[in-house]
Amino acid sequence: MDMLWSGWGDPAAATPLPDTVTGLLHDLLGVKPRAAAPVTLDRIAVPATQFDAATHAALLAAVGGHAEHVRTDAESRIRHTRGKSTPDLLRIREGEVDDLPAAVVLPAGHDEVLAVLRACAAHGLAAVPFGGGTSVVGGLAPARHGAFVALDLRRMDGLLAVDPVSRTATLQAGLRAPHAEALLAAHGFTLGHFPQSYEWATIGGFAATRSSGQASAGYGRFDDMVLGLTLATPEGTVETGRAPRSAAGPDLRQLLLGSEGAFGVITSVTVRVRPVPRARVYDGWRFPTFRQGADALRSLAQDGPRPTVLRLSDETETLVGLAQPDAIGSDAIGSGAGGSDATGSGAGRQNAGCLAVVGFEGTEEDTTHGREAAAAVLRAAGGEPLGEEPGRRWAHGRYSAPYLRDALLDAGAFAETLETAAFWSRLPELYAAVRDALTTTLTDAGTPPLVMCHISHVYENGASLYFTVVSAQGDDPLAHWTRAKHAANDAILTAGGTITHHHGVGTDHRDWYVREAGDLAVDALRAVKRRLDPAGVLNPGVLLPAD
């Protein structure tokens, strides 16, 4: 099944906002209903593909001569236009398709990807790898002069090998995460990678963007899991990873992870896997302030026990109920509560302060021991236990926030996210700086926002901050969000954060990535790109500025 062309996920899972919530949006933020309904797919004007016969023949030959694997119809091209950021959705809902691919090409394996890339280089076509289409940072909208093709990897969806002794598996890049988990579970294993995009994102996309899952405290980031990968480039194949670790020069895996299709197309990865956990439990905890909660998380991250899931919502996010997004609009949330009275502490008490979700997975014995030891640390840090109900609600709704974003757009609100990370000592300054930049810029534009944040991933030395912003759309939502986003990006670098923790660079963060990395480092990466992609066809302008 394809994702909704003008929004997120499965159209059957979309739910409109209740009247109580739309009323609050109007009263608190001045949100007004949209003046006009979004365009329908059949009303979008799509220019004809301007391929000459030789180019089309070369692409067709690259994928075995099957016409259904080189698609130039309007719907296929629209469905592969840009990603799923709020600006992306606003533009496609207006019928704006200036980033439309000329064709969608579907290779069946590594050799066909090589052939497609060589055909693109020979005929002056850019190539943009397309997995689940879930990019929220402009990763699928190349800066190019001329036509490009979307290289859809969905046919490359196999589990190539499992090594139960070494606990590794080799997965093709087009394999969607739920299918990967099902294939691994048949062998008794799990990858343990569950980002918010889990239902739609692909293995190759995880690698290309250095994805981080919601259970990263226990399983690690995706780049921690990758032991080897295979890369297709117009110049040939790069393979890495013949051992779990090596001192044989710089680690080329780390050069290719996060490269976002600029150096080549990742066609398969070898990852470490773990046994499917026998037990899973997620508890809710309340802290009086975000600072106290952050200190408690730091204590667990540094001194243990390290939970599998560890996240903390600030006061605003807890008050709104976004920590449990599937509950938005319920009677409890609509009346300002953050959860169910089933916690035993009452919705009002849970809603005060900051909600943390602390989860353990593993054997029954390990889960019980870790949970008890963590509870002692959290109580000592000022935490109040809320029981399992908040954790169950979080687990049930952990993938629903993008659907909520679409419902907010339908109601006339603007909703977007951004994220960053820093060392623990810099985190309070970073949190304040980004909140201030977003609030000031959007308020000055006449659309005062609601700014929420949570700590979503923790490490011994630091953590990530994930911000959600909701405001009225205003007369020109794209223009005033661009100003706010740029202000937040500037604030992140000034406060000592990284421009992205797990969303990736894309075109949205590219110029700030250059500032963060420095000109010399970027020139070195350009040299790599010139060797692997001398014709400059691979996702131009994404990750690195065009030469």
Side-chain angles (χ1 to χ4, degrees), residues 164 167 181 184-185 187-192 219 272-280 361-363:
R167 290 188 176 176
E181 281 295 318
L184 291 171
H187 295 271
F189 293 112
T190 180
L191 189 56
Y219 290 99
R272 65 112 179 97
V273 292
R274 293 181 179 170
V276 173
R278 295 178 178 270
R280 291 184 174 95
E361 300 180 6
T363 66

Side-chain angles (χ1 to χ4, degrees), residues 454-530:
H454 63 263
I455 292 174
S456 56
H457 306 279
V458 299
Y459 308 94
E460 181 178 355
N461 309 110
S464 70
L465 295 174
Y466 190 100
F467 292 88
T468 301
V469 187
V470 180
S471 73
Q473 290 187 10
D475 295 331
D476 190 345
L478 292 178
H480 83 249
W481 172 248
T482 298
R483 289 192 293 270
K485 172 69 170 174
H486 289 184
N489 289 351
D490 289 340
I492 285 170
L493 293 190
T494 300
T498 180
I499 195 58
T500 177
H501 172 264
H502 58 270
H503 280 171
V505 175
T507 54
D508 291 4
H509 294 147
R510 181 195 59 216
D511 295 344
W512 287 267
Y513 170 61
V514 169
R515 287 166 54 184
E516 181 177 331
D519 290 340
L520 182 59
V522 170
D523 284 346
L525 293 178
R526 278 180 166 149
V528 172
K529 181 171 176 63
R530 281 193 293 270

Side-chain angles (χ1 to χ4, degrees), residues 358-436:
V358 183
F360 285 89
E361 300 180 6
T363 66
E364 293 280 0
E365 181 181 1
D366 289 345
T367 298
T368 299
H369 175 73
R371 187 183 184 196
E372 291 173 351
V377 173
L378 295 171
R379 281 193 178 92
E384 175 188 354
L386 302 175
E388 294 184 41
E389 177 64 16
R392 280 196 291 263
R393 295 210 69 148
W394 169 81
H396 181 263
R398 65 197 298 186
Y399 309 125
S400 61
Y403 291 100
L404 175 62
R405 185 269 308 268
D406 288 359
L408 287 165
L409 288 178
D410 292 339
F414 186 97
E416 187 57 297
T417 62
L418 60 88
E419 42 73 49
T420 179
F423 295 111
W424 286 111
S425 60
R426 303 299 295 269
L427 216 61
E429 177 188 350
L430 179 62
Y431 172 73
V434 176
R435 280 180 56 88
D436 182 65

Side-chain angles (χ1 to χ4, degrees), residues 16 47 84 123 242 253 256 275 291-292 299 370 414 416 418 472 477 490 517 539 542:
K84 297 298 182 181
H123 293 271
R242 61 171 56 213
R253 289 174 298 184
L256 302 177
R291 183 64 178 265
Q292 284 178 270
S299 180
F414 186 97
E416 187 57 297
L418 60 88
D490 289 340
N539 223 3
V542 173

